[in-house]
Amino acid sequence: MAAATLMTKPLPAHPLPKKPLPAGWPRERYESHHRRLKAMRLAIALLDTGVYRPEQAHNRKIRSTAAEIGVHTPSETTCRLVRALLYDHC
């Protein structure tokens, strides 16, 4: 079986300028927003490497993929969210 290669490019050193989120949201909403963005990036990277099912995406695999694409190590909650996104994809 051929090894899967990562097709997603690493994040650029100088990302596009970010637009600020609306002021006045509770802190939990900002954290949730950023967690979902991170989970989507990781889910796309996993799909690029051939991981299509949640049971293939163990925490170790998700965290190693995060290191490959230059994203900070995800928490347990983010790993669960990545698996949920992969489940929705099936």
Side-chain angles (χ1 to χ4, degrees):
M1 178 196 271
T5 59
L6 185 63
M7 295 173 59
T8 303
K9 295 179 185 177
L11 296 175
H14 301 286
L16 297 173
K18 296 180 181 177
K19 291 173 45 179
L21 293 172
W25 283 356
R27 181 169 180 81
E28 293 80 24
R29 188 164 177 189
Y30 292 109
E31 291 171 356
S32 173
H33 172 78
H34 291 295
R35 186 183 309 276
R36 287 187 307 242
L37 289 177
K38 184 178 197 175
M40 284 190 293
R41 279 190 221 111
L42 288 168
I44 290 167
L46 287 167
L47 289 169
D48 283 347
T49 61
V51 175
Y52 299 110
R53 302 189 52 79
E55 56 270 7
Q56 295 173 314
H58 301 287
N59 288 354
R60 188 172 48 246
K61 178 67 175 170
I62 294 170
R63 290 181 174 137
S64 67
T65 302
E68 287 180 37
I69 64 171
V71 175
H72 287 287
T73 307
S75 66
E76 176 70 31
T77 305
T78 305
C79 290
R80 281 196 307 268
L81 185 53
V82 170
R83 283 189 287 275
L85 289 170
L86 289 174
Y87 179 78
D88 287 342
H89 169 73
C90 294

